[in-house]
Amino acid sequence: MSYPELTALVLGIFALYTVLVRKQLRARPVIITSLVMLTLTLIFDNVIIGTGIVAYDQEKLLGIMLGYAPIEDFAYTLVALVLTPSLYEFFRRG
């Protein structure tokens, strides 16, 4: 399975999940947090990839890069942005 296929699968599952819980998520905090987290992902992914700590099989990537970071890396940040407040609300109510 290529990175884009895995990314599409993960984002598809969490997109569905987001639609189901969207009424519980307030837009402003999610947008602000998204900007901060995506910026940090951009910075730190470029550092760890650029220094050789992490490497990707280039044949399995889409080829869209932001610096050294493949666009697929940002999917995990998007999942965390939806999953974290959702889990908080779930456990807060429990």
Side-chain angles (χ1 to χ4, degrees):
M1 179 176 281
S2 68
Y3 297 121
E5 291 169 336
L6 178 61
T7 301
L9 177 66
V10 169
L11 285 179
I13 291 168
F14 281 97
L16 176 62
Y17 178 74
T18 302
V19 168
L20 296 174
V21 299
R22 73 172 183 240
K23 62 184 172 214
Q24 299 168 355
L25 298 176
R26 290 179 288 165
R28 187 168 184 220
V30 172
I31 291 169
I32 293 169
T33 305
S34 297
L35 291 172
V36 171
M37 292 301 297
L38 290 169
T39 300
L40 290 172
T41 300
L42 178 65
I43 293 166
F44 289 107
D45 276 11
N46 274 285
V47 169
I48 64 172
I49 295 167
T51 58
I53 295 171
V54 173
Y56 291 98
D57 182 350
Q58 296 298 316
E59 293 179 10
K60 293 184 178 180
L61 294 173
L62 278 176
I64 301 170
M65 308 294 273
L66 299 173
Y68 294 112
I71 195 76
E72 293 90 341
D73 265 5
F74 295 87
Y76 304 107
T77 303
L78 295 174
V79 169
L81 288 167
V82 173
L83 189 59
T84 302
S86 299
L87 287 174
Y88 173 80
E89 287 297 320
F90 176 78
F91 287 115
R92 186 175 72 105
R93 291 183 188 155

